[in-house]
Amino acid sequence: MDKKKNQWKAWLYLLPAIVLLLVFTVWPIFNTIRMSLLKDYDDLAAIGGATFEFGFANFAKVISYRGFLTCLGNTVLLTVITVPISTMLALLIAVALNSIKWLSKIFQTIFFLPYVTNSIAIGMVFMAMFSMIGGGPTTEPVSIGIINTIIEACGGTRINWVNAGSDYWSNMFVLIIYIVWNALPFKILVLLGGLQGVNKQYYDAAKVDGASRLRTFWRVTVPLLSPMIAYVVITGFIGGFKEYSSIVGIFGESMGPVGNPGSLNTMVGFIYDAITNNPGRASAAALILFAIIFAVTMVNLYVSKKRVHY
Amino acid sequence: MTENINAVSDEQILPAPPKGMKERDIRKVSKKQTVLKVLAQIGLYVFLTVIAIAVLFPFYWMLISSLKTLNEYNATVPTLWPQEFLWANYVTAFTGELELGQLFLNTVIVGVVSTILSLVVTVLSAYAFARLEFKGKNALFAALLATMMIPGELFTITNYVTVSAFGWLHTYTVLIVPFLVSVFYIYLLRQNFLQIPNELYLAAKVDGTSDLKYLWRVMIPLSAPTLVSITILKMMGAWNSYIWPRLVANDTMHRLVTVGLRGAAFVDEATGMTNFPAQMAAVVIVTIPLLLVFIFFRKYIMRGVSRSGIKG
């Protein structure tokens, strides 16, 4: 009797969550697959009774798009460049933080700051720092911006980073700097947490054996931290393939410098561009993205299974 | 016997000093080691300081730029400190096309309502999963966790179609309801609830306390830190969200702060150039609340973040 009463009570507690999840999470999974398989699916036309050709036409169309290949290329490049850099840098910072006493808390707080910022807003600050003001292809700029000023003060030559006429790799360089800046806090937090949990005896043993600092780092620290490293690499890859808002922050909705819109667009950007006018194609692109993320995560898990020491 | 073993292992561990080495030399070696250690420490501090400057510089640049005159900002050699403080940039940011007041109001309404509703839904579900017994509990929970693997973009496409069909475009509802339930928060809170000993629940039952009362009086106070973490992350999410709001509610009455900030052009009417100082002032206004929240709730934010890996 009491057990039965509990049954419906539990479902009552779960009701709001289940209703919302059914409408906004479960249904989308099926509907997105359905839309992706109907050629040029259009909602209004569907309500009007139109039928759509069933098959993989949307996928074929998406893959043959030059715009899509640009997006895919940008996404893959940004991911494979920024994930190793930010992971290595975060590891070095975490190890350094773990081996100092004085000011350690203050450094930790500073390094965490980028995490609690709005990535669109700070992207605009990076844009301001890298951009030149005024001037055209032939005329001298009024101001070359703070970063170029620093470069020239160090004896370098200024570069057109983000303005009209800037080249692809200059744009990418700014994006890489910004994405790494943004990705560091989470990785430092996780890796430092891991380091603080490491038993000090391992280090004492290494010291007693007369191992050098470098050797200790590669043979003790990295293996002991490998579960956390695997964790930040996997989440880094997943986040990297969904990169979008840092590019919007710096270059705006045009996803590229003035005069070259879309040149820095990503997979997610491609999907959002297609949502309103061709949901079928957007669905196909989203499923391709999901497949890529799934495959990369599986490879990551497979590699880490072999390499991670628990 | 034991002494013997000790002697052997000592010899293995400590490299034997070269023959003819006197005690004074050993002291010299240890002095050298101390010097090396100090140098290494200095190296660490230099490294960390360089990184800290790189991390802080954009914040510094944002602040000082927001106080410069347009002329000074556009100077050939950028100044590292404003020659005169132009607080009027903040007035420009508030009164210009941006309509920051309205943006703030919209964001606060959406943030507060969605946080409260989300907490209610999360607490009820987590309680059911942690304390109540029903058929298919584990299967349902596993199914929920499985949905966490799917990227949000996949949901967004259909959800856009759905909310259009509901006639929800350009309302507060569309900003609040579709992403109200977070499986991750349910999971987080359920883990917390499970740590509360079952004996308390049984004792409450014996006393005739109802489930809801027990939940309100015992479970919620005991898991307050997790609830605070969820609240902060949810509020920050509303403050930082960009993609979904831009897609479904990009009109003056409902636009959220990040969308408004990115959409505004900040063109100086006199010169036709970008008014970077006014833009930076707006960026400061958007960034400061986040930094304040971080300063006061550092512990809760870091606790939530280290377990999620999801920004915002």
Side-chain angles (χ1 to χ4, degrees):
Chain A
M1 169 71 194
D2 195 43
K3 227 178 179 181
K4 262 226 168 105
K5 204 179 132 205
N6 253 335
Q7 288 271 335
W8 70 257
K9 191 188 263 172
W11 288 105
L12 195 67
Y13 277 58
L14 286 170
L15 188 67
I18 286 179
V19 169
L20 286 169
L21 284 170
L22 280 178
V23 177
F24 294 109
T25 304
V26 178
W27 162 242
I29 297 172
F30 295 106
N31 189 46
T32 304
I33 296 172
R34 184 181 73 98
M35 287 194 301
S36 75
L37 293 171
L38 297 171
K39 190 184 176 194
D40 294 329
Y41 179 84
D42 183 315
D43 226 46
L44 285 177
I47 293 168
T51 50
F52 305 95
E53 197 185 312
F54 180 87
F56 291 95
N58 286 327
F59 290 92
K61 190 90 191 174
V62 165
I63 292 172
S64 65
Y65 258 140
R66 257 190 64 202
F68 179 77
L69 296 180
T70 312
C71 295
L72 182 62
N74 289 337
T75 310
V76 170
L77 270 180
L78 284 175
T79 308
V80 299
I81 296 173
T82 57
V83 171
I85 295 177
S86 59
T87 306
M88 268 314 289
L89 201 52
L91 187 57
L92 289 177
I93 293 170
V95 169
L97 278 174
N98 198 40
S99 27
I100 62 166
K101 284 205 182 75
W102 193 58
L103 290 180
S104 167
K105 271 274 169 313
I106 290 180
F107 275 123
Q108 275 181 50
T109 308
I110 291 173
F111 294 151
F112 195 72
L113 277 182
Y115 192 89
V116 285
T117 54
N118 184 315
S119 48
I120 302 268
I122 302 298
M124 290 160 78
V125 179
F126 271 73
M127 175 65 172
M129 281 166 29
F130 278 97
S131 65
M132 298 199 271
I133 299 159
T138 49
T139 49
E140 277 288 294
V142 180
S143 166
I144 57 171
I146 181 67
I147 298 290
N148 274 330
T149 307
I150 294 171
I151 290 172
E152 289 198 344
C154 297
T157 48
R158 66 166 182 253
I159 291 170
N160 183 0
W161 296 107
V162 290
N163 295 94
S166 53
D167 72 84
Y168 179 73
W169 282 105
S170 310
N171 299 162
M172 283 299 259
F173 185 81
V174 177
L175 283 177
I176 289 164
I177 300 262
Y178 182 47
I179 292 170
V180 168
W181 186 88
N182 235 328
L184 280 180
F186 172 68
K187 294 192 164 80
I188 297 173
L189 185 72
V190 171
L191 294 175
L192 185 62
L195 276 176
Q196 285 165 344
V198 166
N199 194 334
K200 288 275 180 292
Q201 285 181 347
Y202 292 110
Y203 287 101
D204 294 338
K207 214 181 264 173
V208 166
D209 287 345
S212 70
R213 259 169 187 273
L214 200 66
R215 206 179 155 76
T216 313
F217 176 78
W218 283 113
R219 290 296 168 84
V220 180
T221 309
V222 171
L224 282 174
L225 271 185
S226 52
M228 284 80 188
I229 294 174
Y231 178 54
V232 296
V233 167
I234 290 172
T235 52
F237 267 100
I238 294 174
F241 275 103
K242 300 206 292 186
E243 200 60 68
Y244 176 66
S245 54
S246 38
I247 298 141
V248 175
I250 293 182
F251 291 99
E253 281 299 328
S254 67
M255 300 299 275
V258 175
N260 202 1
S263 60
L264 300 164
N265 205 357
T266 60
M267 299 275 282
V268 170
F270 182 89
I271 295 169
Y272 283 112
D273 289 343
I275 283 184
T276 41
N277 52 30
N278 198 333
R281 227 169 269 169
S283 302
L287 286 171
I288 294 172
L289 174 65
F290 175 52
I292 294 175
I293 291 178
F294 188 76
V296 169
T297 308
M298 284 302 133
V299 170
N300 269 326
L301 284 175
Y302 177 75
V303 172
S304 58
K305 211 174 202 171
K306 284 188 146 178
R307 292 282 182 83
V308 167
H309 309 260
Y310 289 100
Chain B
M1 185 69 187
T2 44
E3 264 169 43
N4 220 354
I5 289 170
N6 275 343
V8 170
S9 57
D10 264 353
E11 215 164 284
Q12 279 178 341
I13 290 164
L14 298 172
K19 268 183 187 163
M21 201 176 188
K22 296 214 174 97
E23 212 173 277
R24 199 189 296 158
D25 297 326
I26 293 174
R27 215 176 287 153
K28 221 185 230 166
V29 167
S30 78
K31 206 174 187 180
K32 202 176 157 196
Q33 274 177 344
T34 321
V35 170
L36 272 177
K37 221 175 178 180
V38 170
L39 278 178
Q41 282 282 311
I42 291 171
L44 287 178
Y45 278 103
V46 169
F47 170 67
L48 290 173
T49 310
V50 168
I51 301 280
I53 290 171
V55 167
L56 289 176
F57 189 78
F59 294 108
Y60 165 74
W61 193 247
M62 157 185 97
L63 277 173
I64 62 155
S65 299
S66 74
L67 292 167
K68 286 178 178 178
T69 62
L70 189 55
N71 264 339
E72 186 185 347
Y73 186 87
N74 290 346
T76 316
V77 179
T79 45
L80 288 174
W81 192 251
Q83 287 160 349
E84 57 172 315
F85 289 83
L86 189 68
W87 294 97
N89 286 329
Y90 285 84
V91 179
T92 313
F94 256 105
T95 54
E97 44 156 349
L98 193 55
E99 298 190 61
L100 262 179
Q102 182 71 41
L103 293 178
F104 276 10
L105 183 71
N106 296 341
T107 312
V108 167
I109 291 174
V110 169
V112 169
V113 175
S114 65
T115 304
I116 292 172
L117 291 179
S118 171
L119 280 176
V120 172
V121 174
T122 308
V123 166
L124 289 178
S125 323
Y127 183 71
F129 280 122
R131 276 292 169 266
L132 301 176
E133 288 303 328
F134 58 97
K135 245 187 221 150
K137 181 164 96 166
N138 292 334
L140 183 64
F141 192 63
L144 286 195
L145 290 183
T147 64
M148 278 172 63
M149 297 198 312
I150 298 165
E153 289 69 32
L154 223 128
F155 306 131
T156 311
I157 303 163
T158 295
N159 285 346
Y160 179 74
V161 175
T162 308
V163 295
S164 309
F166 286 177
W168 283 1
L169 289 186
H170 312 297
T171 58
Y172 285 131
T173 316
V174 78
L175 295 171
I176 295 169
V177 174
F179 297 101
L180 199 60
V181 187
S182 156
V183 173
F184 174 68
Y185 294 154
I186 295 178
Y187 168 78
L188 207 63
L189 195 61
R190 169 189 175 265
Q191 300 306 95
N192 209 291
F193 280 173
L194 282 177
Q195 287 167 359
I196 298 166
N198 215 10
E199 284 75 16
L200 279 177
Y201 179 62
L202 298 175
K205 279 271 127 181
V206 170
D207 289 346
T209 315
S210 74
D211 273 295
L212 264 185
K213 203 170 175 187
Y214 173 74
L215 177 61
W216 183 250
R217 289 278 173 81
V218 180
M219 300 282 257
I220 289 181
L222 280 177
S223 45
T226 306
L227 292 172
V228 173
S229 291
I230 293 175
T231 305
I232 296 166
L233 292 179
K234 190 85 190 163
M235 292 291 258
M236 281 171 59
W239 194 257
N240 290 336
S241 66
Y242 175 79
I243 295 173
W244 179 251
R246 191 184 73 87
L247 193 65
V248 296
N250 198 357
D251 63 313
T252 327
M253 290 314 291
H254 305 99
R255 192 176 290 134
L256 296 191
V257 70
T258 309
V259 182
L261 180 70
R262 185 63 266 190
F266 295 100
V267 174
D268 181 54
E269 280 168 20
T271 55
M273 287 198 285
T274 309
N275 189 347
F276 275 111
Q279 191 192 38
M280 288 302 113
V283 170
V284 171
I285 296 170
V286 171
T287 306
I288 292 289
L290 289 169
L291 294 184
L292 286 181
V293 167
F294 175 60
I295 290 166
F296 289 116
F297 297 99
R298 204 172 67 99
K299 204 174 67 188
Y300 296 106
I301 295 176
M302 290 170 113
R303 186 210 310 262
V305 168
S306 59
R307 282 190 253 172
S308 74
I310 305 154
K311 175 148 184 167

